[in-house]
Amino acid sequence: MGSGFANANMEGANFENADVRGAVFSASILRRANLKGANFSGGLLDQADFAKADLSDALLVETILLRSTFDFANIDGADFTDAIMDEGQRKWLCTKAKGTNSKTGVDTRASLECD
């Protein structure tokens, strides 16, 4: 917990079901990474590139996601409860949000406060 991965190129990395609570991924490249079920709670993931990453069932509770990108990312079942993100980013994620997190039982749309 609390690991640092700032400015790292982790394209295609496998963090499936990893416990990376409180970790710093600022300005990191996580394109096409397997992040399924990973617990990023309380982490700093600002300016990260999650393009085509699998974030299904991931925990992003109380994470900082400002200026991160999620182009074509799978967020099915991800829990974004109390995550800090740009309003435009939240609205865009709401257009693709679906599913319920298997660990918290929280609906992805509810965690993003989608209308």
Side-chain angles (χ1 to χ4, degrees):
M1 291 192 284
S3 299
F5 300 97
N7 299 301
N9 183 346
M10 294 179 283
E11 185 166 351
N14 184 0
F15 280 87
E16 185 169 354
N17 295 314
D19 183 352
V20 284
R21 288 177 285 176
V24 176
F25 285 86
S26 293
S28 291
I29 298 169
L30 291 150
R31 283 185 227 122
R32 290 185 285 281
N34 179 3
L35 311 171
K36 183 177 183 175
N39 186 349
F40 293 100
S41 296
L44 183 59
L45 298 113
D46 61 313
Q47 303 177 62
D49 179 355
F50 292 102
K52 298 182 181 176
D54 184 355
L55 284 157
S56 60
D57 213 36
L59 293 172
L60 296 129
V61 176
E62 297 178 348
T63 57
I64 297 174
L65 295 164
L66 295 168
R67 295 190 308 267
S68 291
T69 57
F70 294 88
D71 298 340
F72 304 103
N74 177 358
I75 62 165
D76 295 355
D79 185 346
F80 291 90
T81 301
D82 296 327
I84 298 169
M85 64 181 69
D86 304 299
E87 184 60 18
Q89 175 188 51
R90 185 189 66 76
K91 286 182 178 179
W92 185 84
L93 288 172
C94 282
T95 67
K96 57 191 304 178
K98 64 181 179 180
T100 301
N101 188 276
S102 68
K103 296 170 197 76
T104 64
V106 173
D107 179 81
T108 300
R109 291 186 57 79
S111 74
L112 287 164
E113 299 178 359
C114 300
D115 298 324

